[in-house]
């Protein structure tokens, strides 16, 4: 026993030293080359300690998870939305659902301020805020029959604050889905290779779902190998299609992709979870985790240096070409996922609590998945920071800033303080077999270039850059598409919850008419924002991502306010700081950003100032760049107005939620009986399942005992003896 303790101490001391060394070199190095491997070391060391100690403390001491308690998936199993799902498949589904565009786009955009601020926020933020939020929301939703975040707010905070939370959460969800879909459009537009490969993942996932459900139930490893093989075949086939006569068929314009994505979102949200959602997410998770793991290994093998500055001048000046605004608060809302994400709270109170087998799995699924997503964000930041800064700014600045030729882009980048020649820009595009890399905003192409740089050094050399670039594009699109279909389903749950307060049939989330109507409404609403983004003259992602970030972090404030309230009401007031401190930080940062986006006098920052500038130009009969026509000018005015109003209204709603939650907490502390909990009653569980990925010795004993009991019951039923003989069972 003593030997084991000493060994454990040595191992965790080594982990801590590796992480501390990484942090020291990243923070103190100035002017000399720094290897990206130290960023990986700092991240992994911190994650390991956070998961092993902090998450375990929260799960056992604060939440007190109970393996004897039946979850909604077990009690309410209907095979459509409620379905006990193998923890490995559910981990894949949950990770795939939360890890959408945010951890890919946000860190890439935030790299304009340097690699150090983003690294600190991503790693420290996830350990103490993001992963905590995800796990605690998942726990409380599981205890409440898988109810949505908004519905929990309505029941636990009250009708006033709850109504504000319901409305804010649903509106924010729509914005998030619209921007997620826009990133897919930007990545797949005019890319037959990517479009074919991504399209093929749908029938592959359907095949996996049918295989697991009917052909070979429980054969997780078997179906995984089949899925991975077919996925790689789809990737290779994509290159063949791109070079064949079918290329035109799969070369889709943004408008066409909008229609296909809206149709896909509707179908995916109404199908049973086992047909497409769970197997697709599980399939894509293998690719995501595998790619990120190989990318980290590639960084360790090739030891690329970080070419971006630790902190750039744009951090203090706030006039960056990628997005406007200073380090505080805009770096913390631009990296909207990877550190803290309100969108995750919708998944943690949406599909996942309806599928989790045991409460003891909540730590692995909630906290563990968020650490995985955070590492994706770190690797995205690495990929953006190891490429030439001149290429980075040429790819991420909108066409209205750098022009549409390599010569104009080279000149514009020089004005930013970086250098890249027209020939270098042309060669970079040619190396990945793209017509141009200019203004490939959205983060996905930049990450793909970084991935191709690292992978080509390990396998294949420069001749393989194009393959690895398109491999990364497919990898990213899979990330985002899985978040889109899960998010649409969650949006449907939220809308049904709201409508159910007025008309009871909608409370049954599996009621077919309500299911179809609410799904159509959700995809129609986020389809509007997608259409707006595609036609935005100022650059869709550059214009919409700030409101995406603000909305996402405001939603996190709602989730943390609900969690803090529930901790207080459930007798855990001494632990309320666990979610209360992240809530205070998130509220200060995000409400500051909202204030600036609404009231700033800088037209690059303030939506209403931007609107006034373009409206004055319209009145004077002028067309301001990057608009090319008077129609573009009117589009800018309309979109700026909508964005400004949304920013103001959402901020007000969140203030109402936080204020009402504070009132409820104070009231409970004074008179506990006046604020009862709405927790589902305890029902003993009959399922036996491991808590983590690796089954412990004790869990193996329990599983064997459960299998023996099932065999005994089956034998009793066949022989007609025992209790079954009397007609029971």
């Amino acid at each position: 026993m003593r030997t084991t303790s000493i060994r454990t101490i040595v191992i965790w001391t080594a982990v801590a030293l590796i992480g501390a060394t990484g942090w020291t070199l990243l923070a103190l190095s100035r002017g000399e080359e720094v290897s990206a491997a130290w960023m990986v070391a700092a991240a992994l060391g911190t994650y390991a300690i956070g998961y092993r100690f902090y998450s375990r403390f929260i799960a056992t001491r604060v939440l007190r998870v109970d393996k004897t308690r039946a979850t909604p998936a077990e009690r309410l199993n209907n095979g459509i939305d409620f379905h006990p799902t193998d923890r490995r498949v559910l981990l894949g589904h949950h990770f795939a659902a939360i890890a959408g565009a945010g951890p890919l786009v946000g860190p890439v955009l935030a790299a304009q301020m340097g690699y150090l601020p983003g690294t600190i926020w991503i790693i420290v933020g996830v350990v103490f805020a993001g992963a905590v939020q995800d796990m605690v929301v998942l726990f409380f939703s599981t205890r409440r029959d898988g109810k949505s975040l908004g519905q929990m707010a309505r029941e636990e905070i009250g009708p006033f604050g709850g109504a504000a939370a319901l409305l804010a959460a649903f509106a924010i969800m729509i914005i998030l889905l619209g921007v997620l879909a826009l990133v897919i459009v930007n990545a797949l537009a005019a890319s037959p290779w990517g479009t074919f490969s991504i399209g093929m993942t749908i029938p592959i996932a359907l095949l996996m779902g049918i295989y697991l459900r009917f052909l070979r139930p429980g054969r997780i490893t078997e179906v995984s190998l089949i899925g991975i093989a077919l996925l790689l075949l789809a990737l290779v086939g994509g290159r063949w299609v791109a070079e064949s006569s079918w290329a035109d068929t799969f070369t889709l314009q943004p408008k066409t992709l909008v229609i296909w994505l809206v149709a896909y979102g509707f179908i995916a949200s109404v199908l049973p979870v086992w047909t497409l959602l769970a197997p697709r997410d599980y399939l894509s998770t293998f690719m995501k985790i595998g790619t990120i793991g190989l990318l980290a290994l590639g960084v360790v093998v090739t030891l690329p240096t970080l070419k971006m500055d630790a902190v750039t001048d744009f951090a203090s000046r706030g006039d960056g070409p990628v997005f406007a605004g200073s380090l505080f608060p805009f770096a913390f809302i631009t990296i909207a996922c990877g550190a803290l994400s309100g969108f995750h709270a919708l998944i943690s109170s949406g599909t996942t609590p309806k599928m989790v087998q045991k409460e003891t799995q909540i730590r692995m699924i909630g906290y563990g998945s968020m650490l995985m997503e955070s590492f994706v964000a770190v690797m995205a930041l690495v990929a953006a920071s190891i490429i030439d800064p001149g290429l980075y700014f040429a790819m991420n600045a909108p066409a209205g800033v750098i022009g549409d030729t390599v010569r104009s882009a080279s000149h514009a980048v020089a004005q930013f303080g970086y250098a890249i020649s027209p020939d270098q820009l042309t060669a970079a595009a040619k190396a990945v077999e793209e017509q141009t890399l200019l203004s490939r905003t959205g983060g996905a192409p930049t990450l793909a270039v970084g991935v191709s740089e690292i992978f080509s050094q390990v396998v294949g050399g420069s001749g393989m850059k194009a393959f690895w670039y398109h491999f990364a594009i497919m990898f990213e699109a899979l990330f985002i598409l899985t978040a889109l279909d899960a998010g649409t389903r969650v949006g449907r749950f939220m809308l049904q919850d709201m409508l159910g307060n007025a008309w009871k049939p909608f409370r049954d989330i599996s009621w077919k008419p309500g299911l179809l109507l609410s799904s159509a409404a959700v995809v129609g609403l986020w389809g509007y924002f997608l259409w707006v983004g595609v036609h935005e003259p100022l650059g869709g992602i550059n214009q919409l991502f700030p409101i995406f970030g603000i909305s996402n972090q405001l939603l996190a404030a709602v989730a943390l306010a609900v969690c803090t309230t529930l901790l207080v009401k459930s007798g855990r007031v001494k632990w309320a700081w666990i979610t209360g401190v992240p809530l205070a930080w998130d509220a200060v940062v995000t409400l500051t950003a909202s204030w600036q986006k609404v009231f700033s006098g800088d037209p690059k920052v303030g939506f209403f100032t931007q609107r006034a500038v373009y409206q004055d130009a319209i009145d004077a009969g002028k067309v301001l760049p990057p608009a090319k026509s008077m129609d573009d000018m009117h589009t800018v005015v309309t979109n700026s107005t909508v964005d400004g109003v949304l920013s103001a209204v959402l901020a007000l709603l969140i203030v109402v939620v936080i204020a009402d939650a504070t009132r409820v907490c104070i009231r409970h502390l004074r008179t506990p009986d006046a604020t009862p909990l709405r927790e589902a009653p305890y029902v003993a569980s009959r399922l036996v399942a491991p808590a983590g990925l690796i089954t412990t010795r004790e869990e193996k004993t329990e599983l064997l005992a459960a299998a023996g009991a099932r065999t005994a019951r089956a034998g009793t039923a066949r022989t007609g003896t025992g209790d079954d003989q009397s007609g029971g069972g």
Side-chain angles (χ1 to χ4, degrees):
M1 188 71 173
R2 189 170 179 273
T3 304
T4 303
S5 298
I6 293 173
R7 184 176 61 193
T8 301
I9 291 171
V10 170
I11 290 173
W12 286 106
T13 301
V15 170
L17 287 174
I18 291 171
T21 302
W23 279 117
T24 301
L25 290 171
L26 289 174
L28 300 182
S29 297
R30 291 292 183 273
E32 62 267 26
E33 291 186 346
V34 180
S35 172
W38 290 117
M39 194 183 293
V40 175
L44 293 179
T46 307
Y47 295 155
I49 292 173
Y51 184 78
R52 171 62 178 79
F53 298 102
Y54 194 48
S55 73
R56 186 177 184 180
F57 161 74
I58 295 173
T60 57
R61 294 285 302 280
V62 179
L63 301 179
R64 299 189 292 273
V65 295
D66 186 356
K67 68 178 181 180
T68 70
R69 188 186 188 108
T71 64
E74 180 181 354
R75 290 187 291 104
L76 307 175
N77 185 6
N78 62 9
I80 300 176
D81 295 309
F82 293 92
H83 180 65
T85 304
D86 184 282
R87 69 199 186 284
R88 294 161 295 186
V89 175
L90 186 56
L91 176 68
H93 156 71
H94 186 78
F95 170 69
I98 65 172
L104 303 175
V105 180
V108 171
L109 300 183
Q112 81 161 0
M113 295 185 173
Y115 64 78
L116 188 57
T119 301
I120 294 173
W121 171 230
I122 291 169
I123 298 174
V124 176
V126 73
V127 169
F128 294 107
V132 173
Q133 172 209 257
D134 290 13
M135 179 171 65
V136 177
V137 170
L138 178 56
F139 172 79
F140 282 126
S141 180
T142 302
R143 283 284 178 96
R144 285 157 181 77
D145 292 341
K147 286 181 179 172
S148 68
L149 176 66
Q151 191 65 20
M152 286 195 294
R154 185 178 185 277
E155 293 181 355
E156 300 290 354
I157 295 178
F160 186 60
L166 272 170
L167 183 59
F170 183 70
I172 290 169
M173 178 58 131
I174 295 301
I175 295 170
L176 300 185
L177 291 173
V179 177
L180 288 175
L182 181 58
V183 176
I184 296 178
V185 170
N186 287 346
L188 296 184
S191 176
W193 189 341
T195 301
F196 174 82
S197 299
I198 289 299
M200 287 303 297
T201 64
I202 298 174
I204 293 172
L206 289 170
L207 173 63
M208 290 177 65
I210 294 170
Y211 194 94
L212 274 178
R213 181 78 171 185
F214 300 111
L215 302 179
R216 303 274 284 177
R219 304 286 185 173
I220 302 295
T221 303
E222 190 175 299
V223 77
S224 300
L225 292 174
I226 294 173
I228 292 171
L230 291 174
L231 196 63
L232 293 174
L233 185 61
L235 177 63
V236 174
R239 186 171 198 173
W240 176 80
V241 167
E243 296 172 352
S244 72
S245 58
W246 288 8
D248 290 343
T249 303
F250 291 93
T251 303
L252 304 180
Q253 296 304 309
K255 296 178 183 179
T256 307
L257 283 168
V258 169
I259 297 170
W260 279 110
L261 281 176
V262 168
Y264 169 78
F266 175 78
I267 294 170
S269 69
V270 300
L271 288 175
V273 290
W274 61 266
T275 57
L276 178 61
L277 186 66
R280 180 195 178 85
D281 291 352
Y282 185 59
L283 170 66
S284 62
T285 295
F286 275 102
M287 188 172 179
K288 294 171 185 178
I289 297 298
T291 301
I292 292 299
L294 290 174
L295 185 57
L297 184 61
V299 168
V300 174
V301 171
T302 61
L303 298 176
T305 57
L306 298 168
K307 296 179 182 178
M308 185 65 74
D309 298 329
V311 182
T312 68
D313 293 339
F314 297 127
S316 56
R317 296 206 311 256
D319 60 350
V322 179
F323 65 92
S326 57
L327 177 63
F328 180 88
F330 288 101
F332 303 99
I333 65 160
T334 301
I335 302 179
C337 298
L340 174 65
S341 171
F343 175 76
H344 297 186
L346 302 182
I347 303 299
S348 293
S349 62
T351 55
T352 306
K354 300 175 179 64
M355 301 164 71
V356 66
Q357 291 173 314
K358 307 291 289 185
E359 282 191 2
T360 47
Q361 297 171 352
I362 286 172
R363 175 189 173 212
M364 177 191 70
I365 295 168
Y367 200 98
S369 291
M370 183 53 183
L371 291 183
M372 290 157 59
E373 194 210 51
S374 181
F375 191 57
V376 172
V378 168
M379 297 314 299
L381 187 57
V382 166
S385 301
I386 64 169
I387 67 175
D388 187 282
L391 178 60
Y392 166 83
F393 284 106
M395 291 184 68
N396 289 282
V401 174
I402 65 171
D404 55 6
T405 67
V406 290
R407 188 171 298 279
S408 65
S410 175
H411 177 73
V413 169
Q415 303 303 309
F416 305 152
Y418 300 93
I420 188 167
S421 68
D423 289 343
Q424 287 175 312
L425 289 172
T426 302
K430 185 178 180 181
V432 295
E433 296 183 15
E434 289 285 333
Q435 293 181 352
T436 180
L437 289 177
L438 300 183
S439 299
R440 295 298 299 271
T441 57
T446 303
L447 176 57
V449 168
V451 169
S452 69
E453 287 280 349
I454 294 172
F455 280 4
S456 63
Q457 290 182 44
V458 178
V459 180
S462 58
M464 285 287 288
K465 271 191 176 182
F467 176 84
W468 290 123
Y469 173 86
H470 286 91
F471 170 84
I473 289 292
M474 187 180 90
F475 149 76
E476 295 170 271
L478 265 178
F479 246 89
I480 300 162
L481 205 57
T482 50
L484 187 67
D485 51 28
T488 301
R489 184 178 289 262
V490 172
R492 187 249 293 179
F493 293 156
M494 295 168 66
L495 183 57
Q496 286 181 275
D497 276 345
M498 286 192 292
L499 295 176
N501 294 320
W503 194 23
K504 289 184 179 180
F506 275 98
R507 292 182 182 177
D508 179 3
I509 59 174
S510 301
W511 181 51
K512 286 293 176 63
L515 181 154
L516 295 173
L517 289 172
S518 54
S519 295
V522 169
V523 296
L525 289 168
W526 65 250
Y528 163 77
F529 280 96
L530 175 58
W531 189 262
V532 166
V534 166
H535 294 84
E536 170 58 59
L538 298 181
I541 199 69
N542 304 77
Q543 184 78 345
L544 286 178
F545 205 81
I547 194 171
F548 170 92
I550 289 173
S551 300
N552 199 28
Q553 303 309 72
L554 288 175
L555 187 55
V558 172
L560 290 167
V562 171
C563 289
T564 305
T565 303
L566 287 171
L567 287 174
V568 172
K569 291 178 67 175
S570 60
R572 301 172 173 93
V573 65
K574 69 177 180 178
W575 305 121
W577 60 268
I578 288 173
T579 54
V581 172
L583 168 61
W585 165 255
D586 182 49
V588 169
V589 169
T590 314
L591 291 175
T592 300
S594 299
W595 179 272
Q596 292 188 21
K597 294 304 290 185
V598 174
F599 295 109
S600 175
D602 183 350
K604 293 182 179 179
V605 176
F607 286 127
F608 289 131
T609 302
Q610 183 183 84
R611 179 198 182 283
V613 168
Y614 278 82
Q615 184 60 56
D616 290 344
I618 290 173
D619 295 340
K622 298 179 181 178
V623 175
L624 301 179
K628 297 179 181 179
S629 65
M630 201 54 75
D631 286 342
D632 284 351
M633 295 288 289
H634 284 289
T635 299
V636 172
V637 169
T638 300
N639 293 348
S640 299
T641 304
V642 171
D643 292 344
V645 169
L646 278 174
S647 297
V649 170
L650 291 175
L652 287 173
L653 288 172
I654 270 55
V655 169
V656 169
V657 173
I658 294 174
D660 211 23
T662 303
R663 177 190 63 81
V664 170
C665 290
I666 294 172
R667 184 184 180 193
H668 178 82
L669 293 175
R670 289 176 177 173
T671 54
D673 293 338
T675 54
L677 280 173
R678 300 294 199 280
E679 194 171 273
Y682 175 91
V683 174
S685 174
R686 298 181 63 182
L687 289 178
V688 178
L693 284 177
I694 301 174
T695 307
T696 66
R697 185 178 301 175
E698 180 184 351
E699 289 171 340
K700 287 179 180 178
T701 302
E702 292 178 356
L703 288 168
L704 287 172
R710 285 196 299 270
T711 303
R713 286 197 299 269
T716 301
R718 284 194 299 271
T719 57
T721 60
D723 293 340
D724 286 344
Q725 192 174 16
S726 63

